[in-house]
Amino acid sequence: MGDKLSRVALVSGGSRGIGRAAVLRLAQDGHDVAFCYRSDADAAQALEKEASELGVRVLAVRADVTDAQAVRGLAERTEDELGPIDVVVTSAGITSDNPLLLMTDEQWHNVLDINLDGVYHVCRAAIFAMMKRKSGCVINVSSVAGVYGNARQTNYSASKAGIIGFTKALAKEAGPYGIRANVVAPGFIDTDMTSTLQGGVKDRALKSIPLGRMGRADEVADLIAYLASDRAAYITGSVFQIDGGITI
Ligand code: NAP
C-alpha cells in the first residue's frame, strides 16, 4: 500500500530534539508540516528553512501548549494555510526532577500542564475536523518513565503514564471514525533534555542499556513516520518503546 503524498502534519514542540527530527522526517516523506514551539524562535526559524528546502510547505508558530486558545489558533492556521490536518504528533515536553519529598507544587503543575494538558489541548484542537473527515492519526510522545516510573520523576512519570491512558481511550473513541492513535515511548535519547543530566546519572544509564548507547532523535522520528504512514494502517492504541533495551 503506497503512502498518499501531500498529507499535512502538525507537530507540537517541533523546534528542537525529537519533535524537530519528526518535522524533518515527515517533510522528507512529503508532508506539509506545521509545528509549534514555546520560546526558541531562532531554532524554529532555522528548522522552517531547512524543512522547506525539502520541497514541502512548512509553518512555524509560536504557541505554548498549555494555552488552549493559542493551540486552537495553531490548528486553525494550519488548516487555513496548509489544509486539513492528517497527522498529529505531540512532542512538546519538559522535565523538572526532584524526589517527591522535595517536589514543589510549581514543579508538579508545570510538568503536568505542559506534558499532559498540552497533549489534551493539541489533540482536542485537531480531533473534530479529523472525525468529520473520518481519517487521521495521532502519535503522542510518552516515555519509558510513563510505563515503569523513574525515581525523582513522579511528576514526569505521572504525566507520561497519563498520555498512555489518554491515547488508549482516544484510540477506542476515534477508531470508528477511521482515526488511529498510538504512543511512542523513548528511553534515553540524545537531545537538549538529556544533555543537562549529570555525568554520574548518564554513566549509570548507559551501563544499563544493552545496546550500549543513547538513542538518536532521528531514530525516534523514523518510528513516528512509520506510525504516520499507511504501512501502520492496522495499528492503534499501542505503545512502542524505543529504548535500546534499557527496560528489559
Ligand atoms: P527538547 O530537546 O528539550 O525539546 C523540547 C521541545 O518542546 C522544544 O521544541 C520546546 O520548544 C518544546 N516545548 C517545551 N515546552 C513547550 C510548551 N509549553 N509549548 C510548546 N512547546 C514547548 O526535548 P526532547 O528530548 O526532544 O523531548 C521531546 C519529547 O520526548 C518530550 O515529550 C519528552 O518528554 C519525550 N522524551 C524524551 C526523551 C529523551 O531522552 N530526550 C525520553 C523519553 C521521552 P522551545 O525550545 O521553544 O522551548
Side-chain angles (χ1 to χ4, degrees):
M1 192 172 4
D3 284 354
K4 191 183 82 180
L5 289 176
S6 303
R7 283 179 166 155
V8 173
L10 173 61
V11 180
S12 80
S15 57
R16 291 186 291 114
I18 292 168
R20 181 180 195 282
V23 169
L24 287 169
R25 184 64 174 74
L26 291 167
Q28 273 165 17
D29 283 356
H31 294 76
D32 293 321
V33 191
F35 70 90
C36 80
Y37 63 100
R38 178 174 54 168
S39 53
D40 193 343
D42 289 344
Q45 269 167 20
L47 175 62
E48 196 175 31
K49 185 168 178 293
E50 187 177 341
S52 336
E53 282 162 6
L54 295 166
V56 296
R57 292 175 299 160
V58 184
L59 178 66
V61 178
R62 188 194 287 260
D64 189 321
V65 293
T66 63
D67 179 343
Q69 202 180 333
V71 173
R72 279 195 295 273
L74 163 72
E76 280 164 19
R77 260 192 82 182
T78 304
E79 301 239 335
D80 287 350
E81 295 185 33
L82 302 184
I85 299 166
D86 299 293
V87 178
V88 170
V89 178
T90 61
S91 189
I94 61 157
T95 52
S96 184
D97 300 348
N98 229 342
L100 183 60
L101 191 65
L102 301 175
M103 180 77 59
T104 66
D105 291 352
E106 192 188 0
Q107 282 183 304
W108 175 266
H109 289 298
N110 211 6
V111 168
L112 269 289
D113 284 353
I114 293 176
N115 294 8
L116 186 55
D117 290 29
V119 168
Y120 159 68
H121 290 146
V122 175
C123 292
R124 179 68 184 84
I127 199 70
F128 179 60
M130 283 183 170
M131 284 173 127
K132 261 203 325 204
R133 288 185 294 112
K134 291 200 179 302
S135 78
C137 98
V138 173
I139 299 135
N140 291 325
V141 180
S142 172
S143 162
V144 293
V147 183
Y148 301 96
N150 267 351
R152 298 174 49 85
Q153 289 193 322
T154 50
N155 52 357
Y156 185 75
S157 302
S159 71
K160 294 299 182 180
I163 289 173
I164 293 172
F166 174 94
T167 310
K168 288 184 176 182
L170 179 61
K172 285 188 175 173
E173 231 176 82
Y177 295 86
I179 297 164
R180 298 183 294 108
N182 290 293
V183 170
V184 168
F188 269 95
I189 310 299
D190 192 5
T191 67
D192 292 345
M193 181 177 275
T194 45
S195 68
T196 54
L197 288 174
Q198 283 152 5
V201 178
K202 217 174 211 170
D203 290 347
R204 275 197 301 281
L206 281 174
K207 281 198 187 110
S208 55
I209 301 172
L211 290 182
R213 64 171 176 88
M214 296 179 86
R216 298 191 315 267
D218 65 281
E219 292 173 317
V220 183
D222 279 343
L223 176 57
I224 291 171
Y226 168 72
L227 290 171
S229 76
D230 287 341
R231 286 168 293 155
Y234 199 55
I235 301 176
T236 196
S238 293
V239 180
F240 292 85
Q241 290 181 207
I242 173 161
D243 61 11
I246 194 171
T247 56
I248 297 169

